[in-house]
Amino acid sequence: MAKELWDAYDREGNRLGFDLVRGEPLPEGVWHMVAEIYAVTLDGRVLVTRRHPDKIWGGLWEITGGGVVKGETPLQAAVRELREETGIAVRPQDLQPLYVDPRSGSGSCRTICRCYLTFFDLQAQTIRLQEGETCDFRLLPYEDFKQFILTADCVEFVRRRFLDHQAVFDRLMADRFPAQSHIIL
């Protein structure tokens, strides 16, 4: 099996001109890029998927996301990851950038997360889970999602990023679903 290659970035998101290999330690001062996507139905339900039990954080729930591979832009990675993990096909222009969040984790885990939001028509799309990656899904009304993300059933770093940027989500959801905004805000 071929090793997954990533472009190396500095903390500001500039490519450094050399490759990283997934699973290998990052050199000092080097970051890798991930893309996360909040996929929301036209009636305001947030898609969450359950990680396959054989994966790290197996059995926990998350939003769609993954590493930006060598030569990809974060936007291209977001479109690819959403299609691979859920079967939902969107165009790059269907993704709304939400935030950029650089985080240093334990050891050499330095990640720049580029997060996007997309709305999709559940009647026009078929959710298909990627074998070995995802094993279940739920569509949660936004208020239920905000409670669910607080539980130990969710991947912790997804929860932290959501909570750090929740005001952005609240505003976007209230703008998109004004009839529900009295509940959201």
Side-chain angles (χ1 to χ4, degrees):
M1 184 172 177
K3 294 183 178 184
E4 184 176 304
L5 296 179
W6 298 332
D7 288 308
Y9 293 88
D10 66 16
R11 189 178 195 286
E12 287 73 42
N14 301 304
R15 283 190 177 134
L16 296 174
F18 61 92
D19 298 343
L20 302 172
V21 177
R22 181 180 184 161
E24 292 184 4
L26 300 179
E28 189 63 35
V30 175
W31 297 66
H32 82 95
M33 186 82 63
V34 299
E36 288 185 336
I37 310 93
Y38 283 83
V40 179
T41 62
L42 296 179
D43 64 353
R45 293 177 290 158
V46 179
L47 174 66
V48 293
T49 56
R50 182 176 242 168
R51 294 178 65 85
H52 190 277
D54 294 339
K55 291 186 62 74
I56 189 169
W57 305 297
L60 295 180
W61 294 84
E62 64 183 351
I63 60 164
T64 303
V68 177
V69 297
K70 179 178 173 55
E72 259 184 337
T73 66
L75 189 59
Q76 290 168 331
V79 169
R80 176 185 52 78
E81 287 287 345
L82 190 61
R83 176 79 172 206
E84 286 176 357
E85 291 186 8
T86 69
I88 297 171
V90 298
R91 303 166 303 168
Q93 59 266 36
D94 296 331
L95 294 171
Q96 178 177 351
L98 292 178
Y99 59 81
V100 178
D101 189 332
R103 299 270 171 138
S104 291
S106 59
S108 67
C109 183
R110 288 178 297 280
T111 302
I112 301 169
C113 177
R114 293 208 175 247
C115 186
Y116 301 90
L117 172 69
T118 191
F119 295 96
F120 71 99
D121 183 352
L122 188 57
Q123 302 305 313
Q125 301 269 2
T126 301
I127 297 175
R128 289 183 309 279
L129 301 175
Q130 183 181 16
E131 190 160 337
E133 287 286 329
T134 52
C135 62
D136 198 2
F137 75 93
R138 293 181 184 170
L139 293 165
L140 301 172
Y142 185 59
E143 284 302 308
D144 293 350
F145 170 79
K146 290 193 313 185
Q147 294 305 309
F148 184 67
I149 198 83
L150 299 175
T151 70
D153 292 332
C154 295
V155 175
E156 192 267 336
F157 61 82
V158 173
R159 175 179 39 258
R160 274 188 288 129
R161 280 197 289 262
F162 173 78
L163 292 173
D164 287 350
H165 300 281
Q166 183 176 343
V168 173
F169 289 99
D170 288 347
R171 186 175 58 255
L172 289 169
M173 295 297 281
D175 289 348
R176 179 73 183 224
F177 304 102
Q180 300 171 20
S181 65
H182 68 284
I183 297 170
I184 293 170
L185 299 175

